[in-house]
Amino acid sequence: MSSNSIRILAGNSHPALAKLIAKRLGSDLANVTVAKYSNQETAVTIGESVRDEDVYIIQSGCGEINDHLMELLIMINACKTASARRVTAVLPCFPYARQDKKDKSRAPISAKLVANMLTVAGADHVITMDLHASQIQGFFDCPVDNLYGEPSVLRYIRENVPDHKNAIIVSPDAGGAKRATSIADHLDLDFALIHKERKKANEVSRMVLVGDVRDKVAILVDDMADTCGTLGLAAKTLVDNGASSVYAIVIHGVLSGKALDVINNSKLTRVVVTNTIPHAEKKKLCPKLDTIDVSAVLAEAIRRTHNGESVSYLFGHTTI
């Protein structure tokens, strides 16, 4: 007999985060087997009943993104055809989020395509964190909760950055100015901006600092760090302009390509990322890496959604 309880399912993208979320909810992960046939087709088997249950599937957009996205779609569809009452896709890092607009001729808007696929697969609700552009919520025809990492970032700065009252918040590009000014306002700190000119994608040619960072702790904030070329150059620019130390705090630490070498050889004192993307192995290779755990935020969002409570409280507060 159904109890309409929470059922947490996890794909293969980030099982460690899924276990942390389930533990915080006082629940166990549901029995799910995700495998591949010899021809590389994805096979999903849900090993327990989800009939009339409230199902949450945790799958982050990282690693082998296309395989993990397909896993998620098949799991959503499997739960839907197994008569789940509601299926919520929990995507701590939304895949293809940077392809959110037609920035050149014949370019696809892949984030919209992913939204369509999730909806067609049967997702009734989507929970994600710090979308690259918040307008991506408008690509969906179902409710989307875009949680913010900002409260967790503020808490980390207050508790872990020495002399944070003599800091300055820096945005590494114009696009992140709104995020940086919001953090600066909450901490009552000054704000600076770096203007970057790109020759091509993932390659920055020149940086210009707008603001005074002399003898201050510079804290770079961004939503995503991929190859870390921007962060490395930004740190050099800040130190050249007199910053005493440079911290980088990023929500989604993709850290692909030569990112770890760039960080290790850069002027950065520490690079702080959340665990929306797994990076335990990378921390062993890069002593400058530190982690903010966001499992509490995601778990509380799931609990509030299940109980029909407001999620907006989480936009400005951290959970223990």
Side-chain angles (χ1 to χ4, degrees), residues 132 170-180 191-196 198 207 220-224 230:
H132 190 63
V170 184
S171 173
D173 55 32
K178 187 176 178 182
R179 180 184 303 102
F191 157 75
L193 172 71
I194 290 176
H195 172 65
K196 63 184 178 185
R198 289 186 186 273
M207 286 194 158
L220 285 159
V221 292
D222 209 351
D223 69 321
M224 188 176 286
T230 298

Side-chain angles (χ1 to χ4, degrees), residues 194-253:
I194 290 176
H195 172 65
K196 63 184 178 185
E197 296 174 356
R198 289 186 186 273
K199 286 181 179 176
K200 57 185 179 181
N202 288 341
E203 190 175 309
V204 180
S205 57
R206 193 169 74 97
M207 286 194 158
V208 180
L209 176 66
V210 182
D212 183 17
V213 299
R214 188 166 298 282
D215 299 325
K216 291 183 179 179
V217 177
I219 303 174
L220 285 159
V221 292
D222 209 351
D223 69 321
M224 188 176 286
D226 192 349
T227 57
C228 292
T230 298
L231 291 182
L233 269 174
K236 183 179 183 302
T237 302
L238 291 166
V239 170
D240 289 348
N241 281 272
S244 58
S245 61
V246 182
Y247 286 75
I249 303 181
V250 180
I251 303 301
H252 306 298

Side-chain angles (χ1 to χ4, degrees), residues 158-181:
R158 291 188 182 111
E159 294 178 1
N160 297 281
V161 177
D163 198 21
H164 72 268
K165 292 183 178 177
N166 183 39
I168 184 168
I169 307 298
V170 184
S171 173
D173 55 32
K178 187 176 178 182
R179 180 184 303 102
T181 50

Side-chain angles (χ1 to χ4, degrees), residues 124-185:
D124 300 300
H125 182 205
V126 172
I127 296 174
T128 186
M129 180 168 267
D130 272 283
L131 286 168
H132 190 63
S134 56
Q135 296 91 321
I136 290 173
Q137 294 170 87
F139 292 166
F140 287 87
D141 294 323
C142 64
V144 177
D145 284 316
N146 180 30
L147 305 174
Y148 297 124
E150 183 180 296
S152 301
V153 169
L154 291 170
R155 183 169 162 186
Y156 182 92
I157 291 172
R158 291 188 182 111
E159 294 178 1
N160 297 281
V161 177
D163 198 21
H164 72 268
K165 292 183 178 177
N166 183 39
I168 184 168
I169 307 298
V170 184
S171 173
D173 55 32
K178 187 176 178 182
R179 180 184 303 102
T181 50
S182 176
I183 291 173
D185 289 345

